[in-house]
mmCIF file of all heavy atoms in Angstrom:
data_model
loop_
_atom_site.group_PDB
_atom_site.id
_atom_site.type_symbol
_atom_site.label_atom_id
_atom_site.label_comp_id
_atom_site.label_asym_id
_atom_site.label_seq_id
_atom_site.Cartn_x
_atom_site.Cartn_y
_atom_site.Cartn_z
ATOM 1 N N ILE A 1 -4.361 -2.427 -4.175
ATOM 2 C CA ILE A 1 -4.447 -1.936 -2.808
ATOM 3 C C ILE A 1 -5.709 -2.487 -2.156
ATOM 4 O O ILE A 1 -6.746 -2.640 -2.809
ATOM 5 C CB ILE A 1 -4.442 -0.389 -2.760
ATOM 6 C CG1 ILE A 1 -4.268 0.112 -1.324
ATOM 7 C CG2 ILE A 1 -5.706 0.186 -3.387
ATOM 8 C CD1 ILE A 1 -4.028 1.617 -1.231
ATOM 9 N N SER A 2 -5.633 -2.798 -0.888
ATOM 10 C CA SER A 2 -6.794 -3.271 -0.159
ATOM 11 C C SER A 2 -6.631 -2.922 1.313
ATOM 12 O O SER A 2 -5.545 -2.541 1.756
ATOM 13 C CB SER A 2 -6.983 -4.785 -0.340
ATOM 14 O OG SER A 2 -5.879 -5.504 0.179
ATOM 15 N N ARG A 3 -7.709 -3.050 2.058
ATOM 16 C CA ARG A 3 -7.641 -2.768 3.478
ATOM 17 C C ARG A 3 -8.599 -3.674 4.220
ATOM 18 O O ARG A 3 -9.595 -4.156 3.664
ATOM 19 C CB ARG A 3 -7.966 -1.300 3.758
ATOM 20 C CG ARG A 3 -9.396 -0.895 3.418
ATOM 21 C CD ARG A 3 -9.560 0.625 3.456
ATOM 22 N NE ARG A 3 -9.308 1.158 4.787
ATOM 23 C CZ ARG A 3 -8.972 2.420 5.042
ATOM 24 N NH1 ARG A 3 -8.838 3.286 4.035
ATOM 25 N NH2 ARG A 3 -8.767 2.816 6.288
ATOM 26 N N ASP A 4 -8.301 -3.902 5.466
ATOM 27 C CA ASP A 4 -9.161 -4.668 6.352
ATOM 28 C C ASP A 4 -9.389 -3.808 7.578
ATOM 29 O O ASP A 4 -8.528 -3.719 8.460
ATOM 30 C CB ASP A 4 -8.523 -5.998 6.726
ATOM 31 C CG ASP A 4 -9.450 -6.886 7.532
ATOM 32 O OD1 ASP A 4 -10.435 -6.383 8.095
ATOM 33 O OD2 ASP A 4 -9.192 -8.103 7.601
ATOM 34 N N ASN A 5 -10.537 -3.158 7.624
ATOM 35 C CA ASN A 5 -10.806 -2.229 8.713
ATOM 36 C C ASN A 5 -11.045 -2.921 10.054
ATOM 37 O O ASN A 5 -11.010 -2.272 11.092
ATOM 38 C CB ASN A 5 -12.003 -1.342 8.363
ATOM 39 C CG ASN A 5 -11.647 -0.286 7.332
ATOM 40 O OD1 ASN A 5 -10.475 -0.089 7.012
ATOM 41 N ND2 ASN A 5 -12.659 0.394 6.803
ATOM 42 N N THR A 6 -11.301 -4.212 10.027
ATOM 43 C CA THR A 6 -11.448 -4.947 11.277
ATOM 44 C C THR A 6 -10.095 -5.235 11.908
ATOM 45 O O THR A 6 -10.017 -5.546 13.093
ATOM 46 C CB THR A 6 -12.206 -6.268 11.081
ATOM 47 O OG1 THR A 6 -11.402 -7.182 10.325
ATOM 48 C CG2 THR A 6 -13.517 -6.032 10.357
ATOM 49 N N LYS A 7 -9.045 -5.130 11.111
ATOM 50 C CA LYS A 7 -7.688 -5.406 11.583
ATOM 51 C C LYS A 7 -6.788 -4.176 11.569
ATOM 52 O O LYS A 7 -5.604 -4.280 11.905
ATOM 53 C CB LYS A 7 -7.047 -6.502 10.737
ATOM 54 C CG LYS A 7 -7.764 -7.829 10.790
ATOM 55 C CD LYS A 7 -7.078 -8.856 9.908
ATOM 56 C CE LYS A 7 -7.774 -10.204 9.972
ATOM 57 N NZ LYS A 7 -7.110 -11.201 9.099
ATOM 58 N N ASN A 8 -7.330 -3.034 11.171
ATOM 59 C CA ASN A 8 -6.531 -1.812 11.031
ATOM 60 C C ASN A 8 -5.305 -2.074 10.166
ATOM 61 O O ASN A 8 -4.173 -1.713 10.521
ATOM 62 C CB ASN A 8 -6.103 -1.278 12.397
ATOM 63 C CG ASN A 8 -7.222 -0.589 13.143
ATOM 64 O OD1 ASN A 8 -8.373 -0.587 12.723
ATOM 65 N ND2 ASN A 8 -6.890 0.011 14.283
ATOM 66 N N ALA A 9 -5.552 -2.696 9.033
ATOM 67 C CA ALA A 9 -4.454 -3.086 8.166
ATOM 68 C C ALA A 9 -4.671 -2.625 6.731
ATOM 69 O O ALA A 9 -5.786 -2.666 6.203
ATOM 70 C CB ALA A 9 -4.268 -4.596 8.199
ATOM 71 N N LEU A 10 -3.603 -2.204 6.113
ATOM 72 C CA LEU A 10 -3.572 -1.797 4.718
ATOM 73 C C LEU A 10 -2.582 -2.691 3.991
ATOM 74 O O LEU A 10 -1.533 -3.032 4.548
ATOM 75 C CB LEU A 10 -3.135 -0.339 4.610
ATOM 76 C CG LEU A 10 -3.032 0.252 3.205
ATOM 77 C CD1 LEU A 10 -4.417 0.497 2.632
ATOM 78 C CD2 LEU A 10 -2.221 1.548 3.240
ATOM 79 N N TYR A 11 -2.899 -3.034 2.754
ATOM 80 C CA TYR A 11 -2.052 -3.939 1.991
ATOM 81 C C TYR A 11 -1.776 -3.396 0.599
ATOM 82 O O TYR A 11 -2.549 -2.616 0.045
ATOM 83 C CB TYR A 11 -2.716 -5.307 1.843
ATOM 84 C CG TYR A 11 -3.150 -5.925 3.141
ATOM 85 C CD1 TYR A 11 -4.484 -5.858 3.547
ATOM 86 C CD2 TYR A 11 -2.237 -6.574 3.960
ATOM 87 C CE1 TYR A 11 -4.888 -6.420 4.744
ATOM 88 C CE2 TYR A 11 -2.636 -7.141 5.157
ATOM 89 C CZ TYR A 11 -3.959 -7.060 5.546
ATOM 90 O OH TYR A 11 -4.363 -7.621 6.733
ATOM 91 N N LEU A 12 -0.676 -3.837 0.042
ATOM 92 C CA LEU A 12 -0.372 -3.556 -1.352
ATOM 93 C C LEU A 12 0.200 -4.825 -1.966
ATOM 94 O O LEU A 12 1.331 -5.213 -1.661
ATOM 95 C CB LEU A 12 0.624 -2.408 -1.492
ATOM 96 C CG LEU A 12 0.908 -1.961 -2.930
ATOM 97 C CD1 LEU A 12 -0.332 -1.302 -3.533
ATOM 98 C CD2 LEU A 12 2.088 -0.997 -2.991
ATOM 99 N N GLN A 13 -0.601 -5.467 -2.794
ATOM 100 C CA GLN A 13 -0.143 -6.643 -3.520
ATOM 101 C C GLN A 13 0.546 -6.175 -4.786
ATOM 102 O O GLN A 13 -0.062 -5.489 -5.609
ATOM 103 C CB GLN A 13 -1.322 -7.554 -3.862
ATOM 104 C CG GLN A 13 -0.940 -8.797 -4.658
ATOM 105 C CD GLN A 13 -0.078 -9.753 -3.874
ATOM 106 O OE1 GLN A 13 -0.368 -10.036 -2.709
ATOM 107 N NE2 GLN A 13 0.992 -10.245 -4.473
ATOM 108 N N MET A 14 1.794 -6.532 -4.951
ATOM 109 C CA MET A 14 2.585 -6.097 -6.083
ATOM 110 C C MET A 14 2.955 -7.311 -6.923
ATOM 111 O O MET A 14 3.693 -8.183 -6.470
ATOM 112 C CB MET A 14 3.845 -5.367 -5.619
ATOM 113 C CG MET A 14 3.565 -4.203 -4.679
ATOM 114 S SD MET A 14 5.052 -3.260 -4.265
ATOM 115 C CE MET A 14 5.959 -4.498 -3.349
ATOM 116 N N ASN A 15 2.437 -7.355 -8.138
ATOM 117 C CA ASN A 15 2.714 -8.446 -9.061
ATOM 118 C C ASN A 15 3.480 -7.935 -10.271
ATOM 119 O O ASN A 15 3.481 -6.744 -10.563
ATOM 120 C CB ASN A 15 1.410 -9.105 -9.521
ATOM 121 C CG ASN A 15 0.648 -9.756 -8.401
ATOM 122 O OD1 ASN A 15 1.234 -10.258 -7.440
ATOM 123 N ND2 ASN A 15 -0.675 -9.776 -8.515
ATOM 124 N N ASN A 16 4.087 -8.869 -10.979
ATOM 125 C CA ASN A 16 4.855 -8.525 -12.175
ATOM 126 C C ASN A 16 5.791 -7.356 -11.904
ATOM 127 O O ASN A 16 5.822 -6.365 -12.634
ATOM 128 C CB ASN A 16 3.911 -8.198 -13.333
ATOM 129 C CG ASN A 16 4.630 -8.135 -14.667
ATOM 130 O OD1 ASN A 16 5.699 -8.713 -14.850
ATOM 131 N ND2 ASN A 16 4.043 -7.405 -15.620
ATOM 132 N N LEU A 17 6.564 -7.499 -10.859
ATOM 133 C CA LEU A 17 7.471 -6.428 -10.455
ATOM 134 C C LEU A 17 8.527 -6.149 -11.518
ATOM 135 O O LEU A 17 8.965 -7.051 -12.235
ATOM 136 C CB LEU A 17 8.140 -6.783 -9.139
ATOM 137 C CG LEU A 17 7.244 -6.639 -7.912
ATOM 138 C CD1 LEU A 17 7.829 -7.405 -6.730
ATOM 139 C CD2 LEU A 17 7.073 -5.165 -7.559
ATOM 140 N N LYS A 18 8.911 -4.891 -11.577
ATOM 141 C CA LYS A 18 9.919 -4.431 -12.510
ATOM 142 C C LYS A 18 11.046 -3.750 -11.740
ATOM 143 O O LYS A 18 10.823 -3.241 -10.643
ATOM 144 C CB LYS A 18 9.318 -3.435 -13.503
ATOM 145 C CG LYS A 18 8.143 -3.974 -14.289
ATOM 146 C CD LYS A 18 7.545 -2.899 -15.178
ATOM 147 C CE LYS A 18 6.374 -3.430 -15.971
ATOM 148 N NZ LYS A 18 5.785 -2.389 -16.851
ATOM 149 N N PRO A 19 12.234 -3.712 -12.305
ATOM 150 C CA PRO A 19 13.339 -3.031 -11.611
ATOM 151 C C PRO A 19 13.006 -1.588 -11.237
ATOM 152 O O PRO A 19 13.467 -1.106 -10.196
ATOM 153 C CB PRO A 19 14.481 -3.100 -12.631
ATOM 154 C CG PRO A 19 14.213 -4.356 -13.378
ATOM 155 C CD PRO A 19 12.705 -4.396 -13.517
ATOM 156 N N GLU A 20 12.219 -0.917 -12.045
ATOM 157 C CA GLU A 20 11.849 0.454 -11.750
ATOM 158 C C GLU A 20 10.905 0.595 -10.552
ATOM 159 O O GLU A 20 10.621 1.705 -10.111
ATOM 160 C CB GLU A 20 11.235 1.151 -12.974
ATOM 161 C CG GLU A 20 10.148 0.345 -13.652
ATOM 162 C CD GLU A 20 10.658 -0.438 -14.849
ATOM 163 O OE1 GLU A 20 11.706 -1.102 -14.730
ATOM 164 O OE2 GLU A 20 10.005 -0.384 -15.908
ATOM 165 N N ASP A 21 10.419 -0.530 -10.026
ATOM 166 C CA ASP A 21 9.624 -0.507 -8.803
ATOM 167 C C ASP A 21 10.505 -0.441 -7.559
ATOM 168 O O ASP A 21 9.988 -0.281 -6.452
ATOM 169 C CB ASP A 21 8.732 -1.741 -8.709
ATOM 170 C CG ASP A 21 7.667 -1.773 -9.788
ATOM 171 O OD1 ASP A 21 7.074 -0.715 -10.078
ATOM 172 O OD2 ASP A 21 7.424 -2.866 -10.338
ATOM 173 N N THR A 22 11.795 -0.593 -7.738
ATOM 174 C CA THR A 22 12.721 -0.521 -6.618
ATOM 175 C C THR A 22 12.617 0.841 -5.947
ATOM 176 O O THR A 22 12.799 1.879 -6.587
ATOM 177 C CB THR A 22 14.159 -0.759 -7.083
ATOM 178 O OG1 THR A 22 14.280 -2.094 -7.575
ATOM 179 C CG2 THR A 22 15.148 -0.562 -5.940
ATOM 180 N N ALA A 23 12.291 0.840 -4.664
ATOM 181 C CA ALA A 23 12.078 2.085 -3.934
ATOM 182 C C ALA A 23 11.786 1.782 -2.477
ATOM 183 O O ALA A 23 11.572 0.634 -2.093
ATOM 184 C CB ALA A 23 10.905 2.871 -4.533
ATOM 185 N N GLU A 24 11.791 2.829 -1.682
ATOM 186 C CA GLU A 24 11.296 2.746 -0.323
ATOM 187 C C GLU A 24 9.798 3.009 -0.388
ATOM 188 O O GLU A 24 9.370 4.032 -0.944
ATOM 189 C CB GLU A 24 11.986 3.782 0.567
ATOM 190 C CG GLU A 24 11.691 3.632 2.044
ATOM 191 C CD GLU A 24 12.611 2.651 2.730
ATOM 192 O OE1 GLU A 24 13.545 2.136 2.084
ATOM 193 O OE2 GLU A 24 12.399 2.390 3.927
ATOM 194 N N TYR A 25 9.013 2.110 0.172
ATOM 195 C CA TYR A 25 7.557 2.225 0.117
ATOM 196 C C TYR A 25 7.006 2.652 1.471
ATOM 197 O O TYR A 25 7.372 2.093 2.505
ATOM 198 C CB TYR A 25 6.926 0.899 -0.296
ATOM 199 C CG TYR A 25 7.041 0.624 -1.771
ATOM 200 C CD1 TYR A 25 8.261 0.284 -2.340
ATOM 201 C CD2 TYR A 25 5.928 0.730 -2.610
ATOM 202 C CE1 TYR A 25 8.379 0.060 -3.698
ATOM 203 C CE2 TYR A 25 6.037 0.501 -3.965
ATOM 204 C CZ TYR A 25 7.259 0.166 -4.506
ATOM 205 O OH TYR A 25 7.368 -0.066 -5.860
ATOM 206 N N TYR A 26 6.104 3.614 1.438
ATOM 207 C CA TYR A 26 5.557 4.196 2.654
ATOM 208 C C TYR A 26 4.049 4.030 2.736
ATOM 209 O O TYR A 26 3.336 4.242 1.750
ATOM 210 C CB TYR A 26 5.870 5.694 2.738
ATOM 211 C CG TYR A 26 7.344 6.005 2.725
ATOM 212 C CD1 TYR A 26 8.010 6.242 1.532
ATOM 213 C CD2 TYR A 26 8.060 6.056 3.914
ATOM 214 C CE1 TYR A 26 9.364 6.522 1.519
ATOM 215 C CE2 TYR A 26 9.413 6.335 3.908
ATOM 216 C CZ TYR A 26 10.054 6.566 2.705
ATOM 217 O OH TYR A 26 11.394 6.848 2.698
ATOM 218 N N CYS A 27 3.579 3.683 3.898
ATOM 219 C CA CYS A 27 2.161 3.690 4.225
ATOM 220 C C CYS A 27 1.808 5.100 4.673
ATOM 221 O O CYS A 27 2.505 5.683 5.514
ATOM 222 C CB CYS A 27 1.901 2.675 5.340
ATOM 223 S SG CYS A 27 0.226 2.607 5.965
ATOM 224 N N VAL A 28 0.749 5.661 4.125
ATOM 225 C CA VAL A 28 0.407 7.058 4.355
ATOM 226 C C VAL A 28 -1.043 7.202 4.794
ATOM 227 O O VAL A 28 -1.943 6.640 4.178
ATOM 228 C CB VAL A 28 0.625 7.890 3.081
ATOM 229 C CG1 VAL A 28 0.363 9.365 3.357
ATOM 230 C CG2 VAL A 28 2.029 7.687 2.531
ATOM 231 N N LYS A 29 -1.250 7.968 5.840
ATOM 232 C CA LYS A 29 -2.593 8.316 6.281
ATOM 233 C C LYS A 29 -2.998 9.608 5.602
ATOM 234 O O LYS A 29 -2.317 10.629 5.728
ATOM 235 C CB LYS A 29 -2.640 8.480 7.801
ATOM 236 C CG LYS A 29 -3.996 8.914 8.335
ATOM 237 C CD LYS A 29 -3.950 9.134 9.842
ATOM 238 C CE LYS A 29 -5.303 9.563 10.390
ATOM 239 N NZ LYS A 29 -5.691 10.895 9.884
ATOM 240 N N ASN A 30 -4.097 9.582 4.882
ATOM 241 C CA ASN A 30 -4.613 10.776 4.256
ATOM 242 C C ASN A 30 -5.494 11.557 5.231
ATOM 243 O O ASN A 30 -5.925 11.042 6.253
ATOM 244 C CB ASN A 30 -5.383 10.439 2.985
ATOM 245 C CG ASN A 30 -4.478 9.979 1.865
ATOM 246 O OD1 ASN A 30 -4.434 8.793 1.527
ATOM 247 N ND2 ASN A 30 -3.730 10.917 1.281
ATOM 248 N N THR A 31 -5.733 12.796 4.902
ATOM 249 C CA THR A 31 -6.403 13.718 5.810
ATOM 250 C C THR A 31 -7.878 13.399 6.019
ATOM 251 O O THR A 31 -8.395 13.533 7.134
ATOM 252 C CB THR A 31 -6.271 15.168 5.305
ATOM 253 O OG1 THR A 31 -4.887 15.473 5.123
ATOM 254 C CG2 THR A 31 -6.873 16.156 6.293
ATOM 255 N N ARG A 32 -8.525 12.978 4.965
ATOM 256 C CA ARG A 32 -9.969 12.799 4.999
ATOM 257 C C ARG A 32 -10.371 11.361 4.665
ATOM 258 O O ARG A 32 -9.526 10.555 4.281
ATOM 259 C CB ARG A 32 -10.614 13.777 4.010
ATOM 260 C CG ARG A 32 -10.415 15.244 4.390
ATOM 261 C CD ARG A 32 -10.873 16.193 3.285
ATOM 262 N NE ARG A 32 -9.973 16.178 2.139
ATOM 263 C CZ ARG A 32 -10.244 15.620 0.980
ATOM 264 N NH1 ARG A 32 -11.422 15.028 0.776
ATOM 265 N NH2 ARG A 32 -9.353 15.662 -0.005
ATOM 266 N N PRO A 33 -11.662 11.055 4.803
ATOM 267 C CA PRO A 33 -12.122 9.698 4.447
ATOM 268 C C PRO A 33 -12.024 9.401 2.957
ATOM 269 O O PRO A 33 -12.035 8.227 2.565
ATOM 270 C CB PRO A 33 -13.586 9.697 4.902
ATOM 271 C CG PRO A 33 -13.639 10.741 5.975
ATOM 272 C CD PRO A 33 -12.704 11.817 5.497
#
């Protein structure tokens, strides 16, 4: 996971994917810093 606060962007680099990674993926804002 990484973020670029200058671009208001969040990333998730996923390597060595497995069939069990199959899912709907959601970006989530947490309550606090």
Side-chain angles (χ1 to χ4, degrees):
I1 191 171
S2 62
R3 65 191 298 158
D4 186 342
N5 286 350
T6 69
K7 298 179 179 179
N8 284 6
L10 179 73
Y11 307 100
L12 185 68
Q13 178 66 45
M14 305 185 294
N15 296 328
N16 193 23
L17 285 163
K18 303 176 180 180
E20 49 263 47
D21 294 319
T22 295
E24 189 86 4
Y25 283 72
Y26 301 91
C27 176
V28 184
K29 177 183 180 294
N30 289 107
T31 305
R32 295 171 288 107

